[in-house]
Amino acid sequence: VTSIGPVDHILRAALPWRTAAELTECGKPQSDLANRVVTRAEAADRIRRLGKERASFGLCMTCWSAADRHQPEGRGADAVAVVARALTAVQFAAGPFYGREVSPQWRERQRLNVEFEGMVALVNAHRDEYDAYLAGRSETVSLDERRRRRRRPRAGG
Ligand SMILES: [Zn+2]
């Protein structure tokens, strides 16, 4: 317990295929923190209203700096960054060999492997829809690119 009392923690961005974030930016399970968790938007709003100095008394500093580092405000959700962070956290997780206990990282790694297996199974079961979706997305990207090129002023005026 500190003189400023308990602080609120900031939720991490959820993996794109999960329905909710489970960890705070500082790595605590949100289920352990009951009412002491805010979203990134809520934290940003509080900082805007109170200013950085006053907001800092009520927010976990580890969460605050991790939120800045992993997903700076205003840049929007980047699925690659969110997935990379989750995979990096379990990259070197070792199994419970030689009588070692099962670590939370190993459990999470197993869970992610099962989720990837599920995604592959779904893609294989709906291969045509998946391919059509990707084809549609790449058309959208090339259309955007063509529009952007058209808007660019020509060299030499
Ligand atoms: Zn925290």
Side-chain angles (χ1 to χ4, degrees):
V1 180
T2 65
S3 57
I4 54 168
V7 293
D8 290 336
H9 299 267
I10 303 170
L11 269 183
R12 277 184 201 189
L15 282 165
W17 57 88
R18 289 189 188 164
T19 50
E22 293 166 12
L23 294 177
T24 63
E25 288 284 0
C26 68
K28 292 181 166 65
Q30 77 146 321
S31 53
D32 294 354
L33 297 166
N35 296 321
R36 308 243 45 127
V37 172
V38 296
T39 64
R40 295 174 49 80
E42 286 163 348
D45 180 58
R46 191 185 294 183
I47 292 163
R48 258 190 304 276
R49 273 187 298 110
L50 303 177
K52 280 189 177 180
E53 197 179 335
R54 282 190 58 210
S56 72
F57 293 122
L59 286 172
C60 167
M61 285 296 96
T62 310
C63 276
W64 188 334
S65 64
D68 269 354
R69 201 167 54 245
H70 289 289
Q71 222 177 330
E73 187 64 29
R75 216 191 275 173
D78 176 10
V80 170
V82 175
V83 173
R85 185 179 183 187
L87 298 187
T88 301
V90 299
Q91 185 177 9
F92 300 111
F97 309 120
Y98 308 113
R100 276 197 301 189
E101 272 183 44
V102 178
S103 68
Q105 289 79 17
W106 179 253
R107 218 173 279 128
E108 179 64 10
R109 186 179 175 127
Q110 300 299 90
R111 180 183 176 199
L112 284 162
N113 271 323
V114 171
E115 287 175 333
F116 291 137
E117 190 186 299
M119 288 178 225
V120 171
L122 278 173
V123 167
N124 286 334
H126 303 275
R127 176 57 68 182
D128 292 346
E129 280 171 72
Y130 182 72
D131 289 345
Y133 181 85
L134 292 185
R137 292 288 289 155
S138 78
E139 268 168 39
T140 308
V141 169
S142 63
L143 244 171
D144 286 348
E145 180 59 30
R146 228 177 298 154
R147 273 191 213 114
R148 215 172 303 126
R149 249 181 273 146
R150 216 177 297 147
R151 237 178 283 139
R152 216 175 288 152
R154 289 195 198 105

